[in-house]
Amino acid sequence: MRRQSTAADGQRRATVTDVARQAGVSTATVSRVMNRNYPVAEATRERVEAAMRDLGYVVNAHARALAGASGRTVGIIVNELIDPFYAYIARGVEREAALGGRLCLVCCAQGDPQRELAFVELMHERRADAVIVVGGSVADRSYTSELARRARELDAGGSKLVLCGRPPLGEQAPTAAVEYDNEGGAFAITDHLLMQGHERILYLGGPPKLSTTRDRLAGHRRALELRGVTPDPELTQTGTFSRNFGYRRMAELLQDGPEFTAVFAANDIVAAGAAQALEEAGVRVPEDISLVGYDDIPVAQELRPRLTTVHVPLEEMGRQAVRLAVGGGDEDDWREPTAGALRLGTHIVVRDSVAPRAGRTARM
C-alpha cells in the first residue's frame, strides 16, 4: 500500500489529487498551472492557486525536475559575494529574475575555475533556466573547452549559459553575453590624467592573467601611446583587486619605487587602500598625487577627496544577463532558445581626486 506523506506536525500533506478535487479540475490541469508549460484559463488558474493555498500544498521540486519541468531558477556564479563589483551585478540578476517569478541562486567560486565548472554542472542538474558566470577569466584551453561543453549541454536542455563581463568561448559554444567597454573606460581615464599633464602614471592592481586586467592595461597603454608617452614597465604594478594590496604595494613604492605623479588603481577598492597609504605617508591627494579608480562603487564617493573613477553599469549588466537568457517577462514560451550579445558603455565620473600635474613626484 502506498504510504501517505506527512508534514512535520504529523498531519498528511496535501497532494495534487487533493488540489484537483477541491478546484474541480483534473490533475493534469493542476500540473499545467504549477509548471506554466501550457495555456490555462485565468479563472481556472486562480481557482487552482486558491486551492493550493487553502490546502497548504507545497510543490515537490524534485518531482518537477524528474518530470522535465524547469526549476524556475537562475543561477549566478561570482568570484566573491562581498566584493561590490559582483554584489551589484548579483542584485541586478535577482531583481530581474524575481520579475519573472524565478528564484536566484548565488554561488561563489572564490577564483577557482574547477569550482566554477562544478557550480555550472550543479545548476544544470537543478534545471536552472539560465546560468550566469560573472567576471574575468584566465586564458586556459582546458577550462575554456570544459565550459563550452557545459554551455552545449545547457542549451540542449533548454537553458542558457550567459557570460557576464568575460571573453566569448567561441562560435561552437551557444552562449549569450553581456559585456561592458572595459578597455574604453581605461583609455578614457588614462587620457583624463594625461590631459592634466600627468605622464608618469602608476597602474596599480589586478591579477595579470585575468581578462579584466588585460583589457584595462590595453586601454591604459593605448592612451599613453596615442599621446606619445612611452609606457614604463616599472609603472605597471599588478597584483590583486584588494584593498590590502593597494595599501601594501603603495606603501612599498613610496619607500623604494619609481617616480610617478598619478595613480590609476585597477578598481575603487585598490584605490581605497592606496589612498590610505598615501595619507599615512603625508602625501596629499590630489595636491601631490592624483588618484583614480574603476567601477564607481559606493566607496568612490565615501573617500576624501571623492574619487574620480570609471562608471560601470553593474546592476544593469545583471538585469540584461537575465533578459538575454529568459526574456523580460513571464511568457509561456520562455524556454525558447535565446542567443545574443550586448555591450554596455562606460564613462568617467569626475570628482575631486585629480589635479593638474604638481611640481613634485611621489618618490619620497
Side-chain angles (χ1 to χ4, degrees):
M1 180 180 295
R2 184 179 178 182
R3 296 178 60 187
Q4 299 285 356
S5 61
T6 58
D9 59 4
Q11 295 182 348
R12 186 178 73 85
R13 290 190 180 130
T15 66
V16 171
T17 302
D18 296 329
V19 174
R21 184 182 299 113
Q22 177 152 326
V25 299
S26 67
T27 55
T29 298
V30 175
S31 178
R32 290 168 179 168
V33 170
M34 290 188 298
N35 295 331
R36 298 176 181 267
N37 59 357
Y38 195 85
V40 176
E42 186 64 27
T44 302
R45 181 185 299 278
E46 291 176 357
R47 197 160 68 249
V48 171
E49 291 175 345
M52 292 170 66
R53 289 193 298 270
D54 292 344
L55 295 171
Y57 178 77
V58 178
V59 178
N60 186 324
H62 296 291
R64 288 183 62 183
L66 290 172
S70 159
R72 295 196 66 76
T73 59
V74 171
I76 175 172
I77 303 172
V78 300
N79 184 45
E80 180 54 73
L81 190 58
I82 62 173
D83 185 324
F85 177 89
Y86 297 104
Y88 278 96
I89 293 176
R91 185 165 76 173
V93 169
E94 191 281 328
R95 289 183 172 180
E96 190 65 26
L99 291 177
R102 295 180 177 87
L103 179 67
C104 180
L105 300 179
V106 182
C107 306
C108 296
Q110 299 174 354
D112 184 348
Q114 295 306 311
R115 185 178 173 91
E116 186 176 278
L117 290 171
F119 281 134
V120 174
E121 189 71 22
L122 178 62
M123 291 298 104
H124 184 207
E125 292 173 359
R126 291 180 175 271
R127 297 183 179 271
D129 301 342
V131 181
I132 301 169
V133 185
V134 181
S137 63
V138 176
D140 181 278
R141 184 173 298 179
S142 176
Y143 162 79
T144 301
S145 177
E146 280 298 305
L147 190 58
R149 181 179 67 81
R150 284 165 169 77
R152 291 190 291 270
E153 291 176 348
L154 285 165
D155 187 69
S159 184
K160 183 65 63 178
L161 181 69
V162 185
L163 307 175
C164 190
R166 63 167 51 195
L169 299 177
E171 295 181 358
Q172 302 304 314
T175 62
V178 179
E179 301 176 295
Y180 62 100
D181 192 5
N182 191 15
E183 182 178 336
F187 175 91
I189 198 77
T190 301
D191 197 56
H192 177 68
L193 290 172
L194 291 166
M195 290 293 288
Q196 295 297 314
H198 298 280
E199 295 186 354
R200 300 287 296 175
I201 303 172
L202 172 68
Y203 184 92
L204 184 66
K209 295 183 178 180
L210 197 69
S211 60
T212 305
T213 303
R214 293 198 304 268
D215 288 346
R216 292 184 186 178
L217 275 172
H220 171 64
R221 289 167 178 162
R222 182 162 59 90
L224 292 175
E225 292 168 0
L226 186 66
R227 296 287 182 182
V229 178
T230 302
D232 183 348
E234 290 189 350
L235 291 177
T236 298
Q237 300 286 330
T238 55
T240 67
F241 280 126
S242 70
R243 180 171 185 145
N244 180 62
F245 172 81
Y247 172 78
R248 177 176 52 81
R249 195 73 186 106
M250 177 57 70
E252 294 169 352
L253 291 169
L254 290 173
Q255 292 296 321
D256 186 24
E259 296 181 350
F260 52 91
T261 64
V263 180
F264 176 5
N267 70 3
D268 296 343
I269 297 296
V270 173
Q276 180 183 351
L278 289 167
E279 181 182 10
E280 291 179 0
V283 179
R284 300 169 300 168
V285 177
E287 292 86 353
D288 301 323
I289 294 292
S290 289
L291 175 65
V292 300
Y294 207 110
D295 292 344
D296 195 24
I297 60 175
V299 70
Q301 296 194 60
E302 295 165 1
L303 287 174
R304 292 295 180 269
R306 298 179 309 153
L307 186 67
T308 292
T309 187
V310 177
H311 177 78
V312 180
L314 299 173
E315 190 168 334
E316 183 63 17
M317 286 174 62
R319 289 184 179 275
Q320 292 295 344
V322 176
R323 291 170 186 167
L324 280 177
V326 300
D330 194 24
E331 303 87 359
D332 288 331
D333 63 346
W334 58 266
R335 288 177 66 95
E336 182 178 342
T338 306
L342 182 66
R343 187 179 181 85
L344 302 180
T346 55
H347 63 268
I348 299 176
V349 179
V350 177
R351 296 193 176 100
D352 310 318
S353 62
V354 175
R357 179 182 177 181
R360 54 181 283 196
T361 63
R363 187 172 178 179
M364 297 287 121

